[in-house]
Amino acid sequence: MLLHDTALIFGRYLRQSLRSRFALLFGVLMPLLYLLFFGPLLTDLPLGERGSSWQVLVPGLLLQLGLFGASFAGFSIIIEKGQGVVERMRVTPVSRLALLLGRVLRDTTVFVFQAVLLVLVSVAMGLRAPLTGVLIGFAFVALLTVSLASLSYALAMRMSTPQTFGPTINALTMPSMLLSGLMLPMTLGPAWLDVLSHFMPFRYLVDAVRDAYVGTYTSAHMLYGALVAVGFAVAAVTVGTRVFRTAGA
């Protein structure tokens, strides 16, 4: 029943995404601009064992794609609430978990597709990374999308207008980007900033994907990144499902 309901919701929203191909490709534009205009600036940066500048930048851009894209996924829920779509779905016998998972899996599919496009462009620009590491990077993008999209939908279910939702998400995502080391490893900065960044969960994902891109799969960074990514996803889906069950009740 859950699988059937999830597939039904997933198919509905995936078809909506496929009908808007421009939006599908536009979502990868910001990481591509960073890749084209910021990447060449890192060419002469002394990165040591961290690999080439592309092996540092591209993992950060992949997770940036998930961070910003998935965090704003809740906008669609606010629109649907205004149109009565959410309430019509909630009075059906469809599982509340499926109402969330169908949307989240659609978002995950879209952002992994965009991540593939980003990596292909990166390879054309000079990225060299093991295939296993690249696939691990996609897995982390998927887990991050599941986490943040679930929380974004949960937050949007509690808010009534985009004017409230947008600034709230901006206030959360900007510090997350700056303190997680998406653009550059935090170890290149002052010690106090490096210490502060350890309180940002996304840093562990970034460090793990960077290790994967240089072929290091058994490091402490990889272990901590995997534990944080999986734990965060489970917690976020749990919170999101609870909100879908109780919001408006």
Side-chain angles (χ1 to χ4, degrees):
M1 184 67 174
L2 175 61
L3 291 177
H4 175 269
D5 290 348
T6 300
L8 191 66
I9 300 298
F10 171 74
R12 179 182 190 274
Y13 286 101
L14 184 61
R15 286 191 294 273
Q16 286 184 0
S17 295
L18 293 176
R19 284 196 293 267
S20 182
R21 296 175 185 174
F22 177 77
L24 192 64
L25 296 174
F26 188 80
V28 78
L29 179 61
M30 185 171 70
L32 279 176
L33 290 177
Y34 274 107
L35 186 71
L36 293 172
F37 300 126
F38 189 71
L41 298 177
L42 306 181
T43 304
D44 298 324
L45 197 66
L47 299 172
E49 297 179 355
R50 293 186 176 275
S52 70
S53 59
W54 301 114
Q55 289 171 311
V56 170
L57 180 62
V58 173
L61 293 179
L62 289 176
L63 294 175
Q64 182 194 63
L65 184 66
L67 172 63
F68 282 94
S71 294
F72 285 93
F75 268 119
S76 63
I77 281 281
I78 294 178
I79 296 172
E80 289 184 347
K81 282 166 56 181
Q83 296 173 342
V85 174
V86 174
E87 287 308 311
R88 288 197 295 271
M89 284 186 168
R90 292 179 67 202
V91 298
T92 67
V94 174
S95 164
R96 296 298 179 264
L97 177 57
L99 289 177
L100 175 67
L101 285 183
R103 291 175 168 88
V104 168
L105 291 178
R106 183 279 309 268
D107 296 329
T108 303
T109 301
V110 168
F111 292 128
V112 170
F113 170 73
Q114 291 176 343
V116 171
L117 294 181
L118 182 63
V119 169
L120 290 176
V121 174
S122 302
V123 169
M125 293 187 66
L127 170 69
R128 297 296 178 265
L131 178 60
T132 301
V134 171
L135 295 178
I136 288 174
F138 293 151
F140 274 96
V141 171
L143 286 170
L144 182 62
T145 301
V146 168
S147 303
L148 295 180
S150 297
L151 294 177
S152 180
Y153 288 129
L155 181 63
M157 287 289 285
R158 298 294 189 183
M159 293 186 169
S160 56
T161 65
Q163 291 80 5
T164 305
F165 181 77
T168 302
I169 293 298
N170 273 325
L172 295 171
T173 54
M174 288 307 296
S176 298
M177 183 189 78
L178 296 173
L179 285 175
S180 59
L182 288 178
M183 297 296 100
L184 290 171
M186 296 303 294
T187 52
L188 296 178
W192 67 268
L193 194 58
D194 185 32
V195 171
L196 184 61
S197 73
H198 281 89
F199 294 94
M200 180 60 62
F202 305 125
R203 170 176 176 158
Y204 299 96
L205 279 65
V206 176
D207 287 343
V209 179
R210 283 181 176 146
D211 274 15
Y213 266 55
V214 295
T216 304
Y217 309 124
T218 58
S219 65
H221 287 158
M222 186 66 68
L223 174 61
Y224 295 149
L227 291 176
V228 170
V230 173
F232 192 27
V234 171
V237 170
T238 301
V239 170
T241 304
R242 184 171 299 174
V243 170
F244 266 73
R245 286 173 178 160
T246 61

